[in-house]
Amino acid sequence: MNVAIEESWKERLNPEFEKSYFKKLTAFVKQEKSTQLIYPSGSLIFNAFDKCTFDNVKVVIIGQDPYHGPGQANGLCFSVNEGVRHPPSLKNIFKEILDDLGKAIPESGNLERWAKQGVLLLNATLTVRANTAGSHQNQGWEEFTDEVIRKVSEEKTSVVFILWGAYAQKKGAIIDTKKHLVLKSAHPSPFSAYNGFFGNKHFSKTNEYLQGLGKKEIEW
């Protein structure tokens, strides 16, 4: 199956595209598209990979579902398109960056600027039906994104994995903690941000770790 994904990822993930679960997943998404509005648009489903090549990955942030509101999802977890109001979790992420690093809250919620610096913004599920959270879960995306995490963990060293909330932490159980830095805290959602997300200092901790390796820090 020919999947339009960035070449360095394609090279590593090609075997997945031939597996029966991925073929079933593709058929499911096509069927959904024929009767429903699906986010993000087709060209942005693999945007996290297109904007951050395998060789460039320094940090991985694991999200759950794409946003399901009009014009929000752009294929990067927690990120929204230019001009779109910041969703609550993203607002809290920017608040923590302000408190941690003193960086002003940006107008744009498009995190493409992070991706281009080596932050893989990976949702566990890469598509969703409009206005229906979780509608494309358990259709095969999770198996695919588990393999992505496994590849990064096995083939790279000294990557920072940022796991916010129980879902991301469970998904990150396959990460080799001897080779990588794994940062965990509560999720930035308004329901849990005050239970350990605020004050986690994950952004400065990531940069200190990268700096210690002689790598360029992320401009959060």
Side-chain angles (χ1 to χ4, degrees):
M1 185 182 292
N2 187 28
V3 175
I5 191 170
E6 191 277 330
E7 278 305 314
S8 65
W9 288 105
K10 192 171 200 171
E11 195 182 303
R12 289 166 175 86
L13 297 170
N14 248 336
E16 297 305 297
F17 304 143
E18 300 308 319
K19 289 181 182 175
S20 61
Y21 87 85
F22 198 88
K23 289 176 179 174
K24 280 181 195 164
L25 168 63
T26 304
F28 167 77
V29 173
K30 278 182 182 165
Q31 173 60 30
E32 282 280 283
K33 274 187 176 175
S34 70
T35 59
Q36 306 288 336
L37 181 57
I38 302 303
Y39 297 130
S41 61
S43 63
L44 294 176
I45 290 172
F46 295 107
N47 197 29
F49 307 95
D50 296 337
K51 294 293 186 290
C52 180
T53 66
F54 185 86
D55 293 339
N56 204 25
V57 175
K58 297 195 279 192
V59 180
V60 179
I61 299 179
I62 298 176
Q64 193 162 349
D65 261 14
Y67 294 120
H68 54 81
Q72 291 181 306
N74 62 7
L76 310 174
C77 72
F78 296 106
S79 173
V80 289
N81 287 310
E82 300 292 335
V84 175
R85 195 172 160 193
H86 300 172
S89 289
L90 184 58
K91 271 187 189 170
N92 287 339
I93 288 167
F94 286 151
K95 273 186 198 170
E96 176 57 24
I97 292 171
L98 173 64
D99 290 344
D100 187 12
L101 299 171
K103 284 188 68 108
I105 291 171
E107 275 183 35
S108 172
N110 189 342
L111 303 181
E112 197 176 293
R113 60 189 181 275
W114 295 2
K116 287 178 174 173
Q117 295 176 77
V119 183
L120 180 65
L121 294 160
L122 182 69
N123 273 318
T125 303
L126 299 189
T127 54
V128 71
R129 189 188 291 185
N131 307 313
T132 317
S135 49
H136 285 191
Q137 288 177 6
N138 305 314
Q139 297 292 339
W141 279 129
E142 294 91 343
E143 193 171 337
F144 174 71
T145 51
D146 278 352
E147 185 58 24
V148 171
I149 293 164
R150 194 175 289 109
K151 288 278 184 208
V152 174
S153 178
E154 286 176 1
E155 294 189 29
K156 295 184 75 80
T157 54
S158 307
V159 171
V160 183
F161 286 87
I162 297 178
L163 311 178
W164 293 326
Y167 183 91
Q169 287 162 28
K170 190 177 176 188
K171 194 166 179 71
I174 56 177
I175 298 161
D176 185 345
T177 55
K178 294 186 188 77
K179 289 170 63 184
H180 305 286
L181 175 65
V182 178
L183 299 175
K184 300 178 185 179
S185 80
H187 193 276
S189 152
F191 302 109
S192 54
Y194 287 96
N195 293 330
F197 175 77
F198 288 132
N200 66 21
K201 301 199 176 297
H202 282 180
F203 303 98
S204 59
K205 284 174 182 172
T206 296
N207 280 351
E208 282 162 16
Y209 182 74
L210 293 174
Q211 199 175 29
L213 296 165
K215 292 183 181 179
K216 197 172 178 185
E217 297 179 357
I218 306 297
E219 269 291 327
W220 302 106

